[in-house]
Amino acid sequence: MKPKFMLIDDSIIDLYINEKNIEKLEIDSDVTSYSNGISALEFFKKLDDKNNKQNGTIPDIILLDINMPKMNGFQFSNAFKKLDIAKEKNIQIFMLSASNNSKFIADAKSGKYCHGFIEKPLNTAKLNSILKTIRPYLNEDDFKGNEVNQEVIR
């Protein structure tokens, strides 16, 4: 089963780099990107409204930037957890930030729908750790020799 990623980040450069890092994993995956939390939240609201939660575009993993204008990562997470789809599907959210602010890390870890904090920049080792955590049934061969390090997810 191929993992489906959703990237939410206001930095176009970070979105591009993260997409390329996912490609480097050399596993069959889908990636959808949003440049802000508001448009990503609208995507999920439309799925709720249409009652179409079997849609193949529903992500398994959301990589969510914390620092964004208009709607930051914590605001997105709080709004997302109120949606039916968040209650019905096992969508894993990992918050990302270039800051190693201990408050961000603590807040990210304490969120009900947040499964970890990852310090930017995202790389293939960090992505492999996420995949290993949520998809233990993936074969080691799927990782093409990339090291898996659980320490990168706090």
Side-chain angles (χ1 to χ4, degrees), residues 38-85:
I38 295 169
S39 58
L41 195 60
E42 287 302 315
F43 165 80
F44 288 113
K45 285 180 179 178
K46 285 179 185 173
L47 289 179
D48 265 0
D49 290 345
K50 292 180 182 177
N51 200 18
N52 185 15
K53 295 173 194 74
Q54 299 303 316
N55 188 319
T57 60
I58 297 171
D60 301 300
I61 304 160
I62 298 175
L63 299 174
L64 176 63
D65 185 30
I66 292 176
N67 293 313
M68 294 184 290
K70 297 182 184 174
M71 176 180 273
N72 68 35
F74 296 111
Q75 292 167 326
F76 171 87
S77 181
N78 287 334
F80 176 76
K81 69 183 177 184
K82 295 175 184 172
L83 298 175
D84 290 339
I85 196 165

mmCIF file of all heavy atoms in Angstrom, residues 38-85:
data_model
loop_
_atom_site.group_PDB
_atom_site.id
_atom_site.type_symbol
_atom_site.label_atom_id
_atom_site.label_comp_id
_atom_site.label_asym_id
_atom_site.label_seq_id
_atom_site.Cartn_x
_atom_site.Cartn_y
_atom_site.Cartn_z
ATOM 1 N N ILE A 38 -5.256 27.050 5.643
ATOM 2 C CA ILE A 38 -6.652 27.341 5.312
ATOM 3 C C ILE A 38 -7.104 26.527 4.099
ATOM 4 O O ILE A 38 -8.162 25.895 4.119
ATOM 5 C CB ILE A 38 -6.862 28.855 5.086
ATOM 6 C CG1 ILE A 38 -6.613 29.613 6.393
ATOM 7 C CG2 ILE A 38 -8.249 29.148 4.537
ATOM 8 C CD1 ILE A 38 -6.528 31.123 6.249
ATOM 9 N N SER A 39 -6.295 26.507 3.041
ATOM 10 C CA SER A 39 -6.688 25.758 1.841
ATOM 11 C C SER A 39 -6.674 24.252 2.105
ATOM 12 O O SER A 39 -7.520 23.525 1.586
ATOM 13 C CB SER A 39 -5.811 26.126 0.644
ATOM 14 O OG SER A 39 -4.458 25.888 0.915
ATOM 15 N N ALA A 40 -5.743 23.775 2.919
ATOM 16 C CA ALA A 40 -5.734 22.347 3.269
ATOM 17 C C ALA A 40 -6.974 21.989 4.078
ATOM 18 O O ALA A 40 -7.599 20.948 3.853
ATOM 19 C CB ALA A 40 -4.465 22.014 4.052
ATOM 20 N N LEU A 41 -7.340 22.845 5.004
ATOM 21 C CA LEU A 41 -8.535 22.608 5.812
ATOM 22 C C LEU A 41 -9.785 22.602 4.933
ATOM 23 O O LEU A 41 -10.689 21.778 5.135
ATOM 24 C CB LEU A 41 -8.636 23.667 6.902
ATOM 25 C CG LEU A 41 -9.601 23.396 8.035
ATOM 26 C CD1 LEU A 41 -9.240 22.111 8.779
ATOM 27 C CD2 LEU A 41 -9.604 24.565 9.008
ATOM 28 N N GLU A 42 -9.841 23.470 3.942
ATOM 29 C CA GLU A 42 -10.968 23.498 3.007
ATOM 30 C C GLU A 42 -11.091 22.171 2.252
ATOM 31 O O GLU A 42 -12.198 21.690 2.017
ATOM 32 C CB GLU A 42 -10.849 24.669 2.024
ATOM 33 C CG GLU A 42 -11.124 26.019 2.653
ATOM 34 C CD GLU A 42 -12.514 26.106 3.280
ATOM 35 O OE1 GLU A 42 -13.502 25.673 2.644
ATOM 36 O OE2 GLU A 42 -12.609 26.608 4.416
ATOM 37 N N PHE A 43 -9.962 21.592 1.872
ATOM 38 C CA PHE A 43 -9.967 20.286 1.216
ATOM 39 C C PHE A 43 -10.679 19.260 2.097
ATOM 40 O O PHE A 43 -11.552 18.530 1.635
ATOM 41 C CB PHE A 43 -8.523 19.848 0.932
ATOM 42 C CG PHE A 43 -8.392 18.389 0.591
ATOM 43 C CD1 PHE A 43 -8.688 17.925 -0.680
ATOM 44 C CD2 PHE A 43 -7.957 17.483 1.549
ATOM 45 C CE1 PHE A 43 -8.573 16.573 -0.988
ATOM 46 C CE2 PHE A 43 -7.824 16.130 1.250
ATOM 47 C CZ PHE A 43 -8.137 15.682 -0.021
ATOM 48 N N PHE A 44 -10.321 19.218 3.372
ATOM 49 C CA PHE A 44 -10.928 18.253 4.285
ATOM 50 C C PHE A 44 -12.400 18.569 4.554
ATOM 51 O O PHE A 44 -13.217 17.656 4.666
ATOM 52 C CB PHE A 44 -10.149 18.188 5.601
ATOM 53 C CG PHE A 44 -8.824 17.508 5.467
ATOM 54 C CD1 PHE A 44 -7.650 18.227 5.629
ATOM 55 C CD2 PHE A 44 -8.737 16.157 5.171
ATOM 56 C CE1 PHE A 44 -6.420 17.603 5.506
ATOM 57 C CE2 PHE A 44 -7.511 15.526 5.045
ATOM 58 C CZ PHE A 44 -6.342 16.257 5.211
ATOM 59 N N LYS A 45 -12.744 19.837 4.631
ATOM 60 C CA LYS A 45 -14.147 20.214 4.843
ATOM 61 C C LYS A 45 -15.014 19.764 3.667
ATOM 62 O O LYS A 45 -16.142 19.311 3.864
ATOM 63 C CB LYS A 45 -14.278 21.725 5.049
ATOM 64 C CG LYS A 45 -13.815 22.186 6.405
ATOM 65 C CD LYS A 45 -13.983 23.695 6.538
ATOM 66 C CE LYS A 45 -13.541 24.198 7.892
ATOM 67 N NZ LYS A 45 -13.655 25.669 8.003
ATOM 68 N N LYS A 46 -14.492 19.885 2.455
ATOM 69 C CA LYS A 46 -15.241 19.441 1.275
ATOM 70 C C LYS A 46 -15.477 17.933 1.318
ATOM 71 O O LYS A 46 -16.541 17.461 0.952
ATOM 72 C CB LYS A 46 -14.507 19.830 -0.008
ATOM 73 C CG LYS A 46 -14.607 21.294 -0.335
ATOM 74 C CD LYS A 46 -13.852 21.638 -1.583
ATOM 75 C CE LYS A 46 -13.887 23.138 -1.803
ATOM 76 N NZ LYS A 46 -13.027 23.553 -2.920
ATOM 77 N N LEU A 47 -14.470 17.184 1.769
ATOM 78 C CA LEU A 47 -14.652 15.742 1.905
ATOM 79 C C LEU A 47 -15.723 15.433 2.943
ATOM 80 O O LEU A 47 -16.535 14.536 2.754
ATOM 81 C CB LEU A 47 -13.344 15.054 2.295
ATOM 82 C CG LEU A 47 -12.260 14.992 1.236
ATOM 83 C CD1 LEU A 47 -11.025 14.291 1.789
ATOM 84 C CD2 LEU A 47 -12.747 14.281 -0.019
ATOM 85 N N ASP A 48 -15.719 16.184 4.047
ATOM 86 C CA ASP A 48 -16.749 15.998 5.077
ATOM 87 C C ASP A 48 -18.139 16.319 4.520
ATOM 88 O O ASP A 48 -19.076 15.566 4.724
ATOM 89 C CB ASP A 48 -16.478 16.910 6.283
ATOM 90 C CG ASP A 48 -15.714 16.207 7.396
ATOM 91 O OD1 ASP A 48 -15.378 15.020 7.261
ATOM 92 O OD2 ASP A 48 -15.459 16.866 8.415
ATOM 93 N N ASP A 49 -18.231 17.440 3.797
ATOM 94 C CA ASP A 49 -19.521 17.871 3.247
ATOM 95 C C ASP A 49 -20.065 16.878 2.229
ATOM 96 O O ASP A 49 -21.259 16.631 2.178
ATOM 97 C CB ASP A 49 -19.399 19.250 2.586
ATOM 98 C CG ASP A 49 -19.182 20.359 3.601
ATOM 99 O OD1 ASP A 49 -19.413 20.123 4.808
ATOM 100 O OD2 ASP A 49 -18.768 21.463 3.196
ATOM 101 N N LYS A 50 -19.185 16.318 1.411
ATOM 102 C CA LYS A 50 -19.616 15.369 0.383
ATOM 103 C C LYS A 50 -19.800 13.969 0.947
ATOM 104 O O LYS A 50 -20.249 13.082 0.251
ATOM 105 C CB LYS A 50 -18.587 15.325 -0.742
ATOM 106 C CG LYS A 50 -18.514 16.589 -1.556
ATOM 107 C CD LYS A 50 -17.482 16.441 -2.641
ATOM 108 C CE LYS A 50 -17.359 17.733 -3.439
ATOM 109 N NZ LYS A 50 -16.318 17.639 -4.453
ATOM 110 N N ASN A 51 -19.419 13.796 2.193
ATOM 111 C CA ASN A 51 -19.475 12.478 2.826
ATOM 112 C C ASN A 51 -18.742 11.450 1.960
ATOM 113 O O ASN A 51 -19.205 10.344 1.754
ATOM 114 C CB ASN A 51 -20.912 12.056 3.105
ATOM 115 C CG ASN A 51 -20.973 10.980 4.170
ATOM 116 O OD1 ASN A 51 -20.026 10.790 4.921
ATOM 117 N ND2 ASN A 51 -22.095 10.292 4.238
ATOM 118 N N ASN A 52 -17.609 11.881 1.420
ATOM 119 C CA ASN A 52 -16.820 11.064 0.507
ATOM 120 C C ASN A 52 -15.460 10.756 1.135
ATOM 121 O O ASN A 52 -14.437 11.168 0.651
ATOM 122 C CB ASN A 52 -16.652 11.799 -0.825
ATOM 123 C CG ASN A 52 -15.946 10.952 -1.853
ATOM 124 O OD1 ASN A 52 -15.815 9.751 -1.697
ATOM 125 N ND2 ASN A 52 -15.476 11.595 -2.896
ATOM 126 N N LYS A 53 -15.491 10.030 2.224
ATOM 127 C CA LYS A 53 -14.262 9.775 2.960
ATOM 128 C C LYS A 53 -13.517 8.543 2.466
ATOM 129 O O LYS A 53 -12.515 8.153 3.022
ATOM 130 C CB LYS A 53 -14.565 9.689 4.451
ATOM 131 C CG LYS A 53 -15.064 11.021 4.979
ATOM 132 C CD LYS A 53 -15.529 10.898 6.406
ATOM 133 C CE LYS A 53 -16.313 12.105 6.819
ATOM 134 N NZ LYS A 53 -17.643 12.160 6.257
ATOM 135 N N GLN A 54 -13.982 7.929 1.411
ATOM 136 C CA GLN A 54 -13.259 6.800 0.817
ATOM 137 C C GLN A 54 -12.366 7.283 -0.323
ATOM 138 O O GLN A 54 -11.719 6.489 -0.986
ATOM 139 C CB GLN A 54 -14.261 5.756 0.288
ATOM 140 C CG GLN A 54 -15.150 5.172 1.360
ATOM 141 C CD GLN A 54 -14.354 4.542 2.490
ATOM 142 O OE1 GLN A 54 -13.386 3.834 2.272
ATOM 143 N NE2 GLN A 54 -14.769 4.817 3.713
ATOM 144 N N ASN A 55 -12.339 8.576 -0.530
ATOM 145 C CA ASN A 55 -11.559 9.187 -1.596
ATOM 146 C C ASN A 55 -10.096 8.772 -1.500
ATOM 147 O O ASN A 55 -9.505 8.825 -0.438
ATOM 148 C CB ASN A 55 -11.713 10.712 -1.494
ATOM 149 C CG ASN A 55 -11.097 11.438 -2.653
ATOM 150 O OD1 ASN A 55 -10.020 11.104 -3.117
ATOM 151 N ND2 ASN A 55 -11.784 12.456 -3.121
ATOM 152 N N GLY A 56 -9.498 8.395 -2.618
ATOM 153 C CA GLY A 56 -8.103 7.980 -2.654
ATOM 154 C C GLY A 56 -7.107 9.080 -2.368
ATOM 155 O O GLY A 56 -5.918 8.819 -2.241
ATOM 156 N N THR A 57 -7.560 10.319 -2.281
ATOM 157 C CA THR A 57 -6.639 11.430 -2.034
ATOM 158 C C THR A 57 -6.477 11.758 -0.556
ATOM 159 O O THR A 57 -5.757 12.682 -0.206
ATOM 160 C CB THR A 57 -7.103 12.702 -2.776
ATOM 161 O OG1 THR A 57 -8.407 13.054 -2.307
ATOM 162 C CG2 THR A 57 -7.140 12.492 -4.277
ATOM 163 N N ILE A 58 -7.130 11.029 0.311
ATOM 164 C CA ILE A 58 -6.998 11.282 1.744
ATOM 165 C C ILE A 58 -5.596 10.864 2.174
ATOM 166 O O ILE A 58 -5.188 9.725 1.950
ATOM 167 C CB ILE A 58 -8.062 10.520 2.553
ATOM 168 C CG1 ILE A 58 -9.455 11.017 2.177
ATOM 169 C CG2 ILE A 58 -7.834 10.692 4.055
ATOM 170 C CD1 ILE A 58 -10.578 10.193 2.749
ATOM 171 N N PRO A 59 -4.850 11.786 2.784
ATOM 172 C CA PRO A 59 -3.470 11.443 3.147
ATOM 173 C C PRO A 59 -3.393 10.512 4.351
ATOM 174 O O PRO A 59 -4.288 10.469 5.186
ATOM 175 C CB PRO A 59 -2.861 12.806 3.485
ATOM 176 C CG PRO A 59 -4.017 13.613 3.969
ATOM 177 C CD PRO A 59 -5.200 13.157 3.139
ATOM 178 N N ASP A 60 -2.301 9.773 4.397
ATOM 179 C CA ASP A 60 -1.967 8.984 5.578
ATOM 180 C C ASP A 60 -1.153 9.837 6.544
ATOM 181 O O ASP A 60 -1.240 9.671 7.750
ATOM 182 C CB ASP A 60 -1.108 7.766 5.185
ATOM 183 C CG ASP A 60 -1.801 6.870 4.199
ATOM 184 O OD1 ASP A 60 -2.885 6.360 4.543
ATOM 185 O OD2 ASP A 60 -1.264 6.676 3.096
ATOM 186 N N ILE A 61 -0.345 10.732 5.962
ATOM 187 C CA ILE A 61 0.613 11.525 6.723
ATOM 188 C C ILE A 61 0.483 12.986 6.315
ATOM 189 O O ILE A 61 0.499 13.308 5.125
ATOM 190 C CB ILE A 61 2.052 11.073 6.405
ATOM 191 C CG1 ILE A 61 2.226 9.579 6.682
ATOM 192 C CG2 ILE A 61 3.073 11.906 7.177
ATOM 193 C CD1 ILE A 61 3.414 8.956 5.978
ATOM 194 N N ILE A 62 0.369 13.867 7.306
ATOM 195 C CA ILE A 62 0.409 15.309 7.060
ATOM 196 C C ILE A 62 1.689 15.833 7.687
ATOM 197 O O ILE A 62 1.935 15.637 8.877
ATOM 198 C CB ILE A 62 -0.807 16.038 7.664
ATOM 199 C CG1 ILE A 62 -2.104 15.551 7.036
ATOM 200 C CG2 ILE A 62 -0.650 17.561 7.489
ATOM 201 C CD1 ILE A 62 -3.364 16.132 7.661
ATOM 202 N N LEU A 63 2.513 16.492 6.867
ATOM 203 C CA LEU A 63 3.710 17.157 7.353
ATOM 204 C C LEU A 63 3.372 18.645 7.399
ATOM 205 O O LEU A 63 3.218 19.294 6.369
ATOM 206 C CB LEU A 63 4.899 16.869 6.431
ATOM 207 C CG LEU A 63 5.253 15.390 6.319
ATOM 208 C CD1 LEU A 63 6.347 15.170 5.283
ATOM 209 C CD2 LEU A 63 5.667 14.828 7.665
ATOM 210 N N LEU A 64 3.231 19.160 8.614
ATOM 211 C CA LEU A 64 2.625 20.464 8.859
ATOM 212 C C LEU A 64 3.628 21.442 9.456
ATOM 213 O O LEU A 64 4.150 21.208 10.546
ATOM 214 C CB LEU A 64 1.452 20.259 9.830
ATOM 215 C CG LEU A 64 0.693 21.464 10.340
ATOM 216 C CD1 LEU A 64 0.005 22.211 9.195
ATOM 217 C CD2 LEU A 64 -0.343 21.013 11.376
ATOM 218 N N ASP A 65 3.875 22.530 8.740
ATOM 219 C CA ASP A 65 4.743 23.579 9.268
ATOM 220 C C ASP A 65 4.032 24.277 10.421
ATOM 221 O O ASP A 65 2.817 24.505 10.360
ATOM 222 C CB ASP A 65 5.059 24.579 8.155
ATOM 223 C CG ASP A 65 6.048 25.651 8.573
ATOM 224 O OD1 ASP A 65 6.909 25.380 9.440
ATOM 225 O OD2 ASP A 65 5.965 26.773 8.030
ATOM 226 N N ILE A 66 4.762 24.610 11.450
ATOM 227 C CA ILE A 66 4.161 25.300 12.599
ATOM 228 C C ILE A 66 3.995 26.786 12.320
ATOM 229 O O ILE A 66 2.921 27.346 12.534
ATOM 230 C CB ILE A 66 5.003 25.087 13.877
ATOM 231 C CG1 ILE A 66 4.940 23.630 14.316
ATOM 232 C CG2 ILE A 66 4.509 26.005 14.999
ATOM 233 C CD1 ILE A 66 5.815 23.296 15.508
ATOM 234 N N ASN A 67 5.043 27.424 11.818
ATOM 235 C CA ASN A 67 5.031 28.880 11.644
ATOM 236 C C ASN A 67 4.518 29.261 10.261
ATOM 237 O O ASN A 67 5.262 29.224 9.281
ATOM 238 C CB ASN A 67 6.439 29.452 11.839
ATOM 239 C CG ASN A 67 6.913 29.312 13.250
ATOM 240 O OD1 ASN A 67 6.187 29.622 14.179
ATOM 241 N ND2 ASN A 67 8.136 28.835 13.424
ATOM 242 N N MET A 68 3.242 29.622 10.203
ATOM 243 C CA MET A 68 2.650 30.086 8.953
ATOM 244 C C MET A 68 1.737 31.263 9.261
ATOM 245 O O MET A 68 1.129 31.303 10.334
ATOM 246 C CB MET A 68 1.819 28.973 8.288
ATOM 247 C CG MET A 68 2.615 27.791 7.811
ATOM 248 S SD MET A 68 1.599 26.567 6.938
ATOM 249 C CE MET A 68 0.629 25.884 8.276
ATOM 250 N N PRO A 69 1.626 32.205 8.318
ATOM 251 C CA PRO A 69 0.703 33.325 8.540
ATOM 252 C C PRO A 69 -0.754 32.872 8.410
ATOM 253 O O PRO A 69 -1.040 31.821 7.861
ATOM 254 C CB PRO A 69 1.073 34.317 7.429
ATOM 255 C CG PRO A 69 1.718 33.487 6.371
ATOM 256 C CD PRO A 69 2.358 32.320 7.067
ATOM 257 N N LYS A 70 -1.646 33.649 8.921
ATOM 258 C CA LYS A 70 -3.100 33.445 8.884
ATOM 259 C C LYS A 70 -3.563 32.261 9.724
ATOM 260 O O LYS A 70 -4.448 32.388 10.542
ATOM 261 C CB LYS A 70 -3.627 33.323 7.457
ATOM 262 C CG LYS A 70 -3.425 34.566 6.627
ATOM 263 C CD LYS A 70 -3.989 34.411 5.251
ATOM 264 C CE LYS A 70 -3.681 35.641 4.420
ATOM 265 N NZ LYS A 70 -4.074 35.479 3.049
ATOM 266 N N MET A 71 -2.974 31.082 9.509
ATOM 267 C CA MET A 71 -3.324 29.900 10.284
ATOM 268 C C MET A 71 -2.037 29.099 10.513
ATOM 269 O O MET A 71 -1.484 28.532 9.578
ATOM 270 C CB MET A 71 -4.355 29.036 9.542
ATOM 271 C CG MET A 71 -4.686 27.743 10.267
ATOM 272 S SD MET A 71 -5.903 26.716 9.402
ATOM 273 C CE MET A 71 -7.411 27.420 10.047
ATOM 274 N N ASN A 72 -1.582 29.075 11.761
ATOM 275 C CA ASN A 72 -0.357 28.317 12.037
ATOM 276 C C ASN A 72 -0.678 26.831 12.200
ATOM 277 O O ASN A 72 -1.837 26.416 12.144
ATOM 278 C CB ASN A 72 0.391 28.897 13.239
ATOM 279 C CG ASN A 72 -0.337 28.720 14.559
ATOM 280 O OD1 ASN A 72 -1.018 27.723 14.795
ATOM 281 N ND2 ASN A 72 -0.195 29.701 15.434
ATOM 282 N N GLY A 73 0.333 26.036 12.410
ATOM 283 C CA GLY A 73 0.151 24.595 12.504
ATOM 284 C C GLY A 73 -0.756 24.165 13.640
ATOM 285 O O GLY A 73 -1.552 23.228 13.498
ATOM 286 N N PHE A 74 -0.650 24.845 14.788
ATOM 287 C CA PHE A 74 -1.500 24.488 15.926
ATOM 288 C C PHE A 74 -2.960 24.848 15.658
ATOM 289 O O PHE A 74 -3.861 24.092 16.011
ATOM 290 C CB PHE A 74 -0.997 25.171 17.199
ATOM 291 C CG PHE A 74 0.374 24.707 17.609
ATOM 292 C CD1 PHE A 74 1.457 25.554 17.523
ATOM 293 C CD2 PHE A 74 0.576 23.404 18.052
ATOM 294 C CE1 PHE A 74 2.721 25.126 17.887
ATOM 295 C CE2 PHE A 74 1.839 22.958 18.425
ATOM 296 C CZ PHE A 74 2.917 23.822 18.336
ATOM 297 N N GLN A 75 -3.191 25.982 15.012
ATOM 298 C CA GLN A 75 -4.559 26.362 14.660
ATOM 299 C C GLN A 75 -5.155 25.376 13.656
ATOM 300 O O GLN A 75 -6.317 24.998 13.770
ATOM 301 C CB GLN A 75 -4.578 27.792 14.093
ATOM 302 C CG GLN A 75 -4.247 28.841 15.124
ATOM 303 C CD GLN A 75 -3.947 30.205 14.495
ATOM 304 O OE1 GLN A 75 -3.388 30.295 13.406
ATOM 305 N NE2 GLN A 75 -4.327 31.253 15.206
ATOM 306 N N PHE A 76 -4.342 24.958 12.683
ATOM 307 C CA PHE A 76 -4.813 23.957 11.722
ATOM 308 C C PHE A 76 -5.186 22.673 12.453
ATOM 309 O O PHE A 76 -6.256 22.106 12.237
ATOM 310 C CB PHE A 76 -3.759 23.668 10.654
ATOM 311 C CG PHE A 76 -4.124 22.504 9.774
ATOM 312 C CD1 PHE A 76 -4.902 22.690 8.652
ATOM 313 C CD2 PHE A 76 -3.717 21.211 10.099
ATOM 314 C CE1 PHE A 76 -5.276 21.611 7.855
ATOM 315 C CE2 PHE A 76 -4.072 20.127 9.312
ATOM 316 C CZ PHE A 76 -4.857 20.331 8.183
ATOM 317 N N SER A 77 -4.287 22.213 13.302
ATOM 318 C CA SER A 77 -4.510 20.966 14.023
ATOM 319 C C SER A 77 -5.786 21.014 14.864
ATOM 320 O O SER A 77 -6.570 20.069 14.879
ATOM 321 C CB SER A 77 -3.307 20.654 14.906
ATOM 322 O OG SER A 77 -3.494 19.445 15.589
ATOM 323 N N ASN A 78 -6.008 22.132 15.549
ATOM 324 C CA ASN A 78 -7.220 22.290 16.372
ATOM 325 C C ASN A 78 -8.484 22.270 15.525
ATOM 326 O O ASN A 78 -9.488 21.669 15.911
ATOM 327 C CB ASN A 78 -7.154 23.568 17.206
ATOM 328 C CG ASN A 78 -6.186 23.446 18.353
ATOM 329 O OD1 ASN A 78 -5.907 22.355 18.840
ATOM 330 N ND2 ASN A 78 -5.644 24.571 18.784
ATOM 331 N N ALA A 79 -8.442 22.927 14.358
ATOM 332 C CA ALA A 79 -9.608 22.929 13.468
ATOM 333 C C ALA A 79 -9.801 21.556 12.820
ATOM 334 O O ALA A 79 -10.930 21.072 12.691
ATOM 335 C CB ALA A 79 -9.443 24.007 12.398
ATOM 336 N N PHE A 80 -8.706 20.916 12.447
ATOM 337 C CA PHE A 80 -8.758 19.618 11.794
ATOM 338 C C PHE A 80 -9.375 18.562 12.708
ATOM 339 O O PHE A 80 -10.211 17.769 12.273
ATOM 340 C CB PHE A 80 -7.344 19.203 11.371
ATOM 341 C CG PHE A 80 -7.263 17.828 10.772
ATOM 342 C CD1 PHE A 80 -7.696 17.601 9.470
ATOM 343 C CD2 PHE A 80 -6.764 16.768 11.501
ATOM 344 C CE1 PHE A 80 -7.623 16.330 8.915
ATOM 345 C CE2 PHE A 80 -6.689 15.496 10.956
ATOM 346 C CZ PHE A 80 -7.120 15.287 9.661
ATOM 347 N N LYS A 81 -8.996 18.569 13.977
ATOM 348 C CA LYS A 81 -9.471 17.513 14.887
ATOM 349 C C LYS A 81 -10.980 17.578 15.134
ATOM 350 O O LYS A 81 -11.565 16.612 15.607
ATOM 351 C CB LYS A 81 -8.698 17.522 16.200
ATOM 352 C CG LYS A 81 -8.956 18.696 17.084
ATOM 353 C CD LYS A 81 -8.080 18.632 18.326
ATOM 354 C CE LYS A 81 -8.267 19.847 19.191
ATOM 355 N NZ LYS A 81 -7.371 19.858 20.327
ATOM 356 N N LYS A 82 -11.631 18.679 14.756
ATOM 357 C CA LYS A 82 -13.080 18.813 14.907
ATOM 358 C C LYS A 82 -13.851 18.210 13.729
ATOM 359 O O LYS A 82 -15.059 18.021 13.808
ATOM 360 C CB LYS A 82 -13.460 20.292 15.058
ATOM 361 C CG LYS A 82 -12.909 20.910 16.326
ATOM 362 C CD LYS A 82 -13.189 22.392 16.386
ATOM 363 C CE LYS A 82 -12.538 23.001 17.622
ATOM 364 N NZ LYS A 82 -12.624 24.449 17.630
ATOM 365 N N LEU A 83 -13.144 17.904 12.648
ATOM 366 C CA LEU A 83 -13.790 17.358 11.457
ATOM 367 C C LEU A 83 -14.065 15.865 11.615
ATOM 368 O O LEU A 83 -13.307 15.150 12.278
ATOM 369 C CB LEU A 83 -12.908 17.590 10.229
ATOM 370 C CG LEU A 83 -12.625 19.044 9.854
ATOM 371 C CD1 LEU A 83 -11.644 19.100 8.692
ATOM 372 C CD2 LEU A 83 -13.908 19.778 9.512
ATOM 373 N N ASP A 84 -15.127 15.417 10.982
ATOM 374 C CA ASP A 84 -15.474 13.989 11.024
ATOM 375 C C ASP A 84 -14.347 13.118 10.488
ATOM 376 O O ASP A 84 -14.059 12.056 11.037
ATOM 377 C CB ASP A 84 -16.750 13.717 10.221
ATOM 378 C CG ASP A 84 -17.991 14.279 10.889
ATOM 379 O OD1 ASP A 84 -17.951 14.521 12.113
ATOM 380 O OD2 ASP A 84 -18.998 14.469 10.183
ATOM 381 N N ILE A 85 -13.722 13.568 9.409
ATOM 382 C CA ILE A 85 -12.677 12.760 8.779
ATOM 383 C C ILE A 85 -11.512 12.505 9.738
ATOM 384 O O ILE A 85 -10.907 11.435 9.730
ATOM 385 C CB ILE A 85 -12.204 13.398 7.454
ATOM 386 C CG1 ILE A 85 -11.431 12.368 6.645
ATOM 387 C CG2 ILE A 85 -11.371 14.640 7.698
ATOM 388 C CD1 ILE A 85 -11.242 12.751 5.205
#
